[in-house]
Amino acid sequence: MPAFETYRPGAHGVPDRRCSIRRARPGDVPGVLVVASSRGPQPADLGDRLARWIADPGRLVLVAHAPSDDPVPSARTVVGWTMLARWQGGADAREGWLVGALTVAPGRRRAGIGARLLAGLLDRPPGRGAAVHSVVNATNRASIALHEGLGFHEVDRGPSFAGITFTGGIGVLLRVGPDRAAAGPAAGERTVGDHGTDRDEIEHEEPV
């Protein structure tokens, strides 16, 4: 499996309207671990860290929930997650709110879930009304396009941002300002919200 979703600007995914975006709960930790593992080996203590992040009132952790393959009709499973945390103490990125860990399960990609997760961070406190930064691998064109569709613009490129290094050596620092419009879907636009996305981000560099 490639590290990132292939950038195919002309391909239209099918939006999964059964999927819901909400704040993570302690019971979501096992499902988030499964999604996170789709990116490769994870730290042994990630489960404990997730529990702390979810309980931290200064951090926003979101999950995407969708019907599972379980025969029980009410069964739902975590199919994506992301978080917003305050970055402090680094010379390679401004202090402020930073997107992290934006990941969608491989079998749920190109259904608008990544865009809805990112929009959810921007539409809820503390992201609402604040400048938000994100860092992405320079080779992840799908992720860069997704961010741009939600109002982010490129600030800089370099080998490290917010303590994060990148496969291939170069990352992109992106920013969206506090004066942006609401991050919900624009009329007639397919790239954000419930209208699906042609550029659904799957992998994202994670601050640890």
Side-chain angles (χ1 to χ4, degrees):
M1 181 181 298
F4 310 119
E5 181 75 350
T6 302
Y7 181 50
R8 293 177 291 171
H12 293 273
V14 179
D16 188 346
R17 302 186 186 280
R18 305 169 303 166
C19 182
S20 60
I21 308 298
R22 62 163 174 77
R23 285 179 177 269
R25 303 165 184 164
D28 294 321
V29 168
V32 172
L33 287 173
V34 172
V35 174
S37 69
S38 69
R39 302 173 58 181
Q42 299 296 310
D45 65 342
L46 181 58
D48 293 336
R49 291 159 65 184
L50 281 167
R52 293 196 301 271
W53 294 339
I54 291 171
D56 182 355
R59 184 186 300 255
L60 175 61
V61 183
L62 297 181
V63 293
H65 262 229
S68 72
D69 296 327
D70 193 298
V72 178
S74 62
R76 296 179 70 83
T77 188
V78 174
V79 297
W81 79 293
T82 189
M83 63 181 176
L84 189 67
R86 189 81 180 173
W87 167 251
Q88 295 177 310
D92 57 356
R94 290 184 180 180
E95 294 187 358
W97 296 105
L98 183 69
V99 176
L102 181 55
T103 311
V104 177
R108 304 285 185 156
R109 299 174 179 178
R110 293 196 174 276
I113 296 172
R116 292 177 63 191
L117 282 165
L118 184 56
L121 293 180
L122 301 180
D123 286 343
R124 293 169 170 83
R128 182 192 299 153
V132 174
H133 289 81
S134 188
V135 291
V136 178
N137 192 302
T139 64
N140 193 346
R141 295 176 61 203
S143 176
I144 293 170
L146 181 147
H147 280 75
E148 290 173 344
L150 286 168
F152 282 83
H153 65 274
E154 182 175 328
V155 175
D156 199 4
R157 294 193 175 214
S160 174
F161 291 114
I164 302 165
T165 56
F166 308 90
T167 302
I170 299 296
V172 180
L173 177 65
L174 300 155
R175 180 184 185 274
V176 63
D179 55 348
R180 63 185 177 272
E189 188 169 2
R190 292 184 51 86
T191 57
V192 298
D194 289 327
H195 294 275
T197 177
D198 302 333
R199 306 174 293 195
D200 202 2
E201 181 185 68
I202 305 306
E203 309 287 348
H204 190 272
E205 306 302 327
E206 178 185 351
V208 294

